[in-house]
Amino acid sequence: GSRLAVSDTSGEVRSWPLAGRTATPERVLQARGTLRLGFDPTGRWLSARGSLDGRPGLRLWNLYAPSAVEPTLLVRSDTTYMNTLAFDGSGHWLATAHAGDVALWWLGDDRPRVLTGHEGRVAGLTFAPDSRSLLSAGGDDTVRRWPLSAGGEEPRVVFRGSVGAGPNLEIDPSGRLLVVDFAPHDLEF
């Protein structure tokens, strides 16, 4: 009862908090093929039921996780239809009904949160000194900053330029300076 979520034909899902009045959604998520949306009783999980690569499945976003985290995809390959779903009151379990059986899914924190955005191999990582963001260097010649809070800032590119094959990222204790090693072929004397 604390959020509203809507989906449209563009394949986007938008969610807003019900407290306060803002035209800007707190999250805009990609979920093509969404048929139904739902929240668990705790407000932690947002589910988008629909088609995942032609199979019935569910995208599940942890709304307490950083906004750049990809959804968990729940798909059963042995079924052609998902009838319904139900969350338990604690937000730890999800039950999905498939034809004549029920699948029970554990929603505890025993899986990684995946951040996507680089178009090449990620070869360097460092956390900011305040632990509120992660920096990554990738083969797409960018260094990206990933906020680790559930709301607020979006991930962004903080550096563009050829980085080394195994770039080292170092950040000073104040969090104001970032050192990135450049690829040797970019240097001219």
Side-chain angles (χ1 to χ4, degrees), residues 33-170:
T34 296
L35 300 175
R36 293 202 176 156
L37 294 171
F39 291 98
D40 79 301
T42 69
R44 178 180 185 177
W45 301 102
L46 171 61
S47 65
R49 188 167 35 144
S51 175
L52 299 175
D53 298 327
R55 296 177 296 175
L58 191 70
R59 290 176 185 90
L60 194 61
W61 285 274
N62 181 342
L63 298 177
Y64 294 175
S67 60
V69 171
E70 289 291 307
T72 299
L73 304 178
L74 304 177
V75 180
R76 287 204 33 207
S77 60
D78 60 340
T79 187
T80 58
Y81 188 75
M82 182 185 297
N83 299 333
T84 189
L85 61 90
F87 289 96
D88 84 306
S90 71
H92 288 110
W93 291 98
L94 169 67
T96 57
H98 308 265
D101 62 356
V102 174
L104 190 59
W105 308 86
W106 169 248
L107 300 178
D109 286 332
D110 58 350
R111 63 184 158 274
R113 292 167 170 82
V114 179
L115 304 170
T116 60
H118 282 289
E119 295 177 13
R121 180 177 66 96
V122 175
L125 294 171
T126 190
F127 283 95
D130 63 6
S131 297
R132 292 193 295 182
S133 60
L134 173 69
L135 292 124
S136 61
D140 58 355
D141 296 330
T142 64
V143 174
R144 295 176 186 266
R145 180 181 172 275
W146 308 93
L148 298 178
S149 63
E153 291 182 73
E154 292 293 317
R156 62 187 169 102
V157 173
V158 295
F159 175 82
R160 284 191 194 283
S162 295
V163 295
N168 289 317
L169 294 177
E170 296 293 333

